[in-house]
Amino acid sequence: MSAALDPRVTPARPDLAAKHLEGKVAAARYVEGVVHQVIAPQAPLRHAPAHDVPLDTEALRGERVTVYDDNGEGWCWGQLARDGYVGWLPAAALAPTIVEPTHRVAALRTFAFPGPSIKLPPLAVLSLGCAVAVARTEAEFAVTAQGEFLPRQHLAPLDGREPDFVAVAERFVGTPYLWGGKTSLGIDCSGLVQVALAAAGRDAPRDSDMQERALGAPVELRGDWSKVARGDLIFWKGHVAIARDAASIVHANAFHMAVAVEPLAEAVRRIEAAGGKVRSIRRLAY
């Protein structure tokens, strides 16, 4: 594969590649993908078709995936439409029928019930950012095309926008740290940035190094940390945090094993003591 093509977001293997990459990468064959949709609450994406392989990222309910390969053993290899990530997902989490979403989950998490009662045992737990197709409303419930009943107050129109992505990230405080996670059940540093920005209507790459290259403009502190502003993204090698103000950050991290609010100066000292210096600070335009 060309050095210019990032394997994380390039659907190419020695034996198979996406048709649109023919002439750009070497592969034994090239195929047109088939668009699928995530029907599970979240679908793990891994770099190999096995449950004991580390989690690379997660796709949320309603996301589209272009599937290029099915190994016949319960795994599909494809590319996520939203951020371009490539890998293996459980085939049972996908469906080839596309149901156009109308709403997104705006609560940190919500329950999908089998009927119009919160006393019924839930069918599933949907996290913030999941997209659903609402067919009708019934009392205080939105009924999806699949017949699930979701509390209406936990949903927002698909094109709705949160005014402050930092406030969205702060709602995840206490969520357990999970490498590759993107939900309120477990999330990592760049997943927190991506999910929070998505709630505010902004797309972001998946990993922190990608985010550092793609998001915002550099902030020149020249030693003056008081110049840090709410919403600035602070990058270390392999880590990203969101500034709440000039004195504190919110970030998912393995030190706390959770999403935590931490004094900025304390985090800088702690991470530097472990061998990591701040690489850059990026400010998003509004």
Side-chain angles (χ1 to χ4, degrees), residues 30-105:
Y30 302 88
V31 299
E32 296 284 359
V34 178
V35 177
H36 286 58
Q37 191 169 38
V38 177
I39 56 174
Q42 67 265 359
L45 183 148
R46 308 178 193 276
H47 64 265
H51 293 289
D52 59 354
V53 172
L55 180 67
D56 287 337
T57 187
E58 293 178 307
L60 303 182
R61 166 79 75 88
E63 283 195 60
R64 297 188 184 192
V65 183
T66 301
V67 172
Y68 295 101
D69 189 20
D70 185 329
N71 72 355
E73 299 178 354
W75 294 91
C76 289
W77 185 74
Q79 183 172 34
L80 305 185
R82 184 148 205 171
D83 61 23
Y85 226 98
V86 173
W88 291 92
L89 302 104
L94 309 177
T97 302
I98 305 299
V99 180
E100 293 294 341
T102 61
H103 290 71
R104 61 179 177 83
V105 175

Side-chain angles (χ1 to χ4, degrees), residues 39-197:
I39 56 174
Q42 67 265 359
L45 183 148
R46 308 178 193 276
H47 64 265
H51 293 289
D52 59 354
V53 172
L55 180 67
D56 287 337
T57 187
E58 293 178 307
L60 303 182
R61 166 79 75 88
E63 283 195 60
R64 297 188 184 192
V65 183
T66 301
V67 172
Y68 295 101
D69 189 20
D70 185 329
N71 72 355
E73 299 178 354
W75 294 91
C76 289
W77 185 74
Q79 183 172 34
L80 305 185
R82 184 148 205 171
D83 61 23
Y85 226 98
V86 173
W88 291 92
L89 302 104
L94 309 177
T97 302
I98 305 299
V99 180
E100 293 294 341
T102 61
H103 290 71
R104 61 179 177 83
V105 175
L108 196 59
R109 69 184 70 88
T110 192
F111 293 110
F113 295 98
S117 172
I118 60 173
K119 296 181 180 179
L120 294 172
L123 298 170
V125 179
L126 303 182
S127 191
L128 186 146
C130 287
V132 297
V134 174
R136 69 181 196 279
T137 58
E138 185 173 323
E140 297 304 312
F141 292 91
V143 186
T144 70
Q146 293 79 19
E148 303 160 314
F149 289 71
L150 280 66
R152 290 170 60 184
Q153 58 263 51
H154 287 176
L155 301 181
L158 196 63
D159 59 357
R161 301 290 184 264
E162 294 280 354
D164 180 5
F165 88 94
V166 184
V168 176
E170 290 170 330
R171 288 162 56 191
F172 280 85
V173 169
T175 297
Y177 179 83
L178 176 65
W179 179 274
K182 280 180 52 176
T183 77
S184 59
L185 301 177
I187 199 164
D188 67 12
C189 65
S190 54
L192 181 66
V193 170
Q194 189 185 54
V195 169
L197 283 173

